[in-house]
Amino acid sequence: MRIATWNINSVRLRIGLVTRFLETWRPDVLCLQETKCPPGQFPTSALLQAGYGHIADNGYTGHHGVAIISRIPIAESHVQSFCGRNDGRHVSVRLDGSGLVVHSLYVPAGGDEPDPATNGKFAHKLQFIDELKAWAGGLGCSGTGHHVLSGDFNIAPLESDVWSHKQLLKVVSHTPVETGKLNDLMASCGFHDPVRAHHPEPEKLYSWWSYRARDWEAADRGRRLDHIWVSQDISHLCRNVAIVREARGWSRPSDHVPVILDIDECGG
DNA sequence: ATGGTAGACTTTCTA
């Protein structure tokens, strides 16, 4: 079973890149974030042609928006709301026959100023992580399935997840309050990070490079903002991971690249 | 010392 996550930054504009990725890498399930696609306007026909006929969409007008597209039939889907908003930041699916529940999550970016007292977006981000922790803590013991929690978490939790730990300590996405909350969430909710298990620190790993760099590849000032976590009960089934860096060099790219996890089937 | 880019119900917002 191959599961991927990708912040696509407009699924309608980049549907050609999505199908290129699907045809090259053949994931069974692809989680998307920042689809920027209102409900009912998801580009389903191109995906159907590529063999992905099962779609769970939680779109939102203008920005945000998440979706899951699958080759495997979807038994049921669910949308979780956080911070009292329904702004397209989560959707999950239970896959037919596998007992797997796959989540596509889009954590608020948090604005520029890392101070919740003066920046409401940063306060929202911190509250979102707190609510995520309370909710995710119930997943492991709910008996509803084995969970894959993936998406754009907008936090690079480890020193080797950014191009310069020192220079990013006061930059939203790598401040101690954010990295502390995310590392605590993973540990206390019983989740495991197979990407880091396969590529331990101090290897640098990035999944995002700013559009604002003159030459993203030469500067290589990236951050690992996109993650695929699994619940501990299936951590031993993780086989392989990949970060598709080459996708950042495609024509009119997203600023994020796909992250891939291969996991053995875990039955019903 | 502070831009820089990209996308969307664009004249501004979010990232």
Side-chain angles (χ1 to χ4, degrees), chain A residues 31-239:
Chain A
C31 299
L32 294 172
Q33 301 85 38
E34 275 204 273
T35 54
K36 295 185 175 179
C37 182
Q41 294 186 35
F42 204 81
T44 54
S45 62
L47 299 172
L48 188 59
Q49 262 191 332
Y52 294 79
H54 309 282
I55 298 172
D57 175 34
N58 182 17
Y60 190 78
T61 298
H63 45 275
H64 311 159
V66 295
I68 300 176
I69 67 183
S70 176
R71 298 204 278 183
I72 303 165
I74 292 169
E76 61 181 339
S77 68
H78 171 71
V79 168
Q80 182 67 31
S81 85
F82 298 95
C83 306
R85 309 183 194 193
N86 282 301
D87 52 355
R89 296 187 180 276
H90 172 271
V91 66
S92 63
V93 299
R94 190 166 58 77
L95 299 172
D96 250 3
S98 75
L100 267 190
V101 180
V102 180
H103 303 262
S104 181
L105 185 69
Y106 181 47
V107 174
D112 288 330
E113 183 61 43
D115 179 359
T118 57
N119 173 10
K121 290 177 194 169
F122 195 68
H124 177 214
K125 183 178 196 174
L126 297 183
Q127 190 192 339
F128 191 101
I129 297 291
D130 288 344
E131 290 191 16
L132 185 63
K133 178 181 172 183
W135 168 78
L139 293 180
C141 52
S142 64
T144 55
H146 312 294
H147 292 271
V148 178
L149 185 59
S150 75
D152 177 1
F153 295 4
N154 266 312
I155 297 173
L158 303 175
E159 293 193 14
S160 309
D161 292 335
V162 292
W163 65 275
S164 168
H165 169 63
K166 238 182 146 173
Q167 291 181 74
L168 288 172
L169 275 170
K170 292 180 177 174
V171 174
V172 170
S173 74
H174 194 62
T175 65
V177 62
E178 295 170 85
T179 59
K181 277 183 186 292
L182 195 68
N183 289 327
D184 171 59
L185 190 164
M186 181 167 70
S188 67
C189 296
F191 279 92
H192 167 79
D193 177 0
V195 177
R196 265 302 170 201
H198 282 79
H199 298 277
E201 292 205 282
E203 183 183 349
K204 294 284 196 180
L205 292 176
Y206 312 138
S207 65
W208 172 89
W209 294 261
S210 172
Y211 283 125
R212 297 176 186 176
R214 227 172 271 123
D215 182 339
W216 73 272
E217 196 163 25
D220 202 21
R221 294 186 166 187
R223 305 177 203 171
R224 188 170 72 111
L225 304 179
D226 303 274
H227 302 272
I228 300 185
W229 292 354
V230 301
S231 47
Q232 288 290 356
D233 54 324
I234 53 171
S235 64
H236 64 289
L237 299 175
C238 296
R239 287 293 166 252

Side-chain angles (χ1 to χ4, degrees), chain A residues 1-7 18 20-31 52 148-151 193-199 205-207 224 226-230 238-247 250 257-263:
Chain A
M1 170 91 61
R2 171 166 284 186
I3 297 167
T5 184
W6 194 6
N7 178 320
V18 173
R20 176 177 177 178
F21 171 72
L22 293 174
E23 283 158 9
T24 308
W25 293 86
R26 301 305 294 167
D28 295 287
V29 180
L30 172 60
C31 299
Y52 294 79
V148 178
L149 185 59
S150 75
D193 177 0
V195 177
R196 265 302 170 201
H198 282 79
H199 298 277
L205 292 176
Y206 312 138
S207 65
R224 188 170 72 111
D226 303 274
H227 302 272
I228 300 185
W229 292 354
V230 301
C238 296
R239 287 293 166 252
N240 248 310
V241 302
I243 299 181
V244 187
R245 180 187 171 103
E246 68 185 64
W250 291 352
V257 300
V259 180
I260 294 172
L261 169 67
D262 290 329
I263 184 165

